[in-house]
Amino acid sequence: MNDNDICLISSVNNDDIFKSCLARSPDVVSGRLKLTIIRNSVSMSEAYNRALDQTENRYAVLAHQDVYLPQGWLDLAKAKLTALDRSHPDWMVAGPYGVQADGRHVGRVWDVGLDRELGAAGFPPTPIVSLDELLLVLRRDNPFRFDPDLPHFHLYGTDLVQSALCTGRSAWALEMPVVHNSQLVASLSGGYTLAYRYACRKWKQRLPIPTTVVPVTRNPIPLLFAKWRLRNRPERAGKLLADAVAIARRAGYE
Ligand SMILES: [Mn+2]
């Protein structure tokens, strides 16, 4: 696998956050990992499809603007993806953090909003049924496109994984940790609820689907309960809670 087999894609709506996180990743700064930026998108599906139309690399890494890829990440990802190509040639999607069919989380990322590492070092490649959207790797050996009818900027990781699984392809959590310089989710109303309802209808034969936020289920209670728990949480500040490089060092990622 060459550097040119992989491209990095990000939908950017806040340049300060982007410059402080993803754009600072050493593999991006060095130019080894070519970055395609999408702006003014109406949904994440629309953004990512636009980027897929502009790129041809065999593997697309789709990352949030608030993700920092630590020193050495590209080489680590190449090694992990090459191994997965050999061990599970049917794989289509991978990421550093996901949820298994039984609801257990698996992965390793540092979450700044929660101020701790999620998961832990030393797990093997693990099959998952949904991925945290912070970073998704898509293997492009078929002309996959994100669902343009999935609204807003939520649940596209779950939708991607389910799309892979229902066509007989596999999806994996791999140990390739990153820093997610996130802010806490402010609300699950509005766009989240619209995306959730869409996912419920689309995947009704496959429910319940556990996710990192709320299980997608026929029963409306889990989403209502999660919204209630967040009822007093203030709006996101719109600025970062920590320095991504300092966190990467503290986490031992570089
Ligand atoms: Mn994020």
Side-chain angles (χ1 to χ4, degrees):
M1 193 182 298
N2 301 313
D3 292 353
N4 287 338
D5 290 328
I6 305 185
C7 66
L8 177 63
I9 288 166
S10 190
S11 172
V12 173
N13 71 351
N14 183 317
D15 276 287
D16 291 336
I17 292 178
F18 169 67
K19 283 182 194 143
S20 305
C21 301
L22 196 63
R24 257 171 109 192
S25 306
D27 294 320
V28 175
V29 173
S30 73
R32 282 184 66 199
L33 188 52
K34 290 280 178 301
L35 172 61
T36 297
I37 299 167
I38 298 294
R39 294 176 191 277
N40 304 315
S41 47
V42 297
S43 71
M44 202 58 115
S45 285
E46 185 269 330
Y48 284 170
N49 284 341
R50 225 191 305 157
L52 292 176
D53 288 339
Q54 294 172 19
T55 53
E56 293 188 321
N57 316 65
R58 187 139 180 260
Y59 305 86
V61 175
L62 309 145
H64 282 182
Q65 64 190 353
D66 62 359
V67 162
Y68 172 76
L69 309 174
Q71 180 87 49
W73 191 86
L74 178 60
D75 287 327
L76 176 64
K78 281 164 67 180
K80 296 281 178 177
L81 298 176
T82 301
L84 194 59
D85 281 346
R86 290 206 190 99
S87 63
H88 295 91
D90 68 341
W91 82 272
M92 184 173 133
V93 194
Y97 198 84
V99 187
Q100 300 172 74
D102 62 7
R104 277 181 302 153
H105 290 204
V106 59
R108 188 184 179 204
V109 299
W110 190 282
D111 190 290
V112 168
L114 297 174
D115 194 31
R116 65 184 175 91
E117 184 172 70
L118 301 179
F123 66 93
T126 306
I128 46 77
V129 297
S130 68
L131 282 170
D132 192 305
E133 276 104 16
L134 83 162
L135 190 149
L136 307 166
V137 183
L138 172 65
R139 187 187 188 204
R140 302 172 67 184
D141 51 1
N142 64 10
F144 175 82
R145 285 292 179 274
F146 285 86
D147 181 348
D149 294 326
L150 175 66
H152 290 266
F153 297 84
H154 305 281
L155 288 163
Y156 49 91
T158 300
D159 194 72
L160 169 63
V161 170
Q162 289 297 318
S163 300
L165 297 179
C166 80
T167 55
R169 305 291 298 272
S170 62
W172 299 82
L174 301 176
E175 189 171 342
M176 42 186 187
V178 300
V179 174
H180 193 193
N181 209 342
S182 61
Q183 299 163 45
L184 289 172
V185 174
S187 162
L188 298 175
S189 302
Y192 190 89
T193 295
L194 291 173
Y196 186 93
R197 288 200 189 122
Y198 180 84
C200 282
R201 287 196 303 274
K202 178 174 177 179
W203 298 112
K204 61 176 182 284
Q205 306 300 331
R206 301 176 68 89
L207 302 182
I209 303 167
T211 80
T212 52
V213 181
V214 184
V216 180
T217 160
R218 216 165 274 123
N219 180 341
I221 300 297
L223 179 60
L224 287 171
F225 183 67
K227 285 181 177 176
W228 180 78
R229 270 185 297 143
L230 295 177
R231 68 198 179 286
N232 292 325
R233 193 173 275 178
E235 285 288 301
R236 287 175 167 184
K239 56 180 195 284
L240 294 171
L241 303 174
D243 179 81
V245 176
I247 294 288
R249 289 185 185 147
R250 180 175 155 206
Y253 295 171
E254 66 176 33

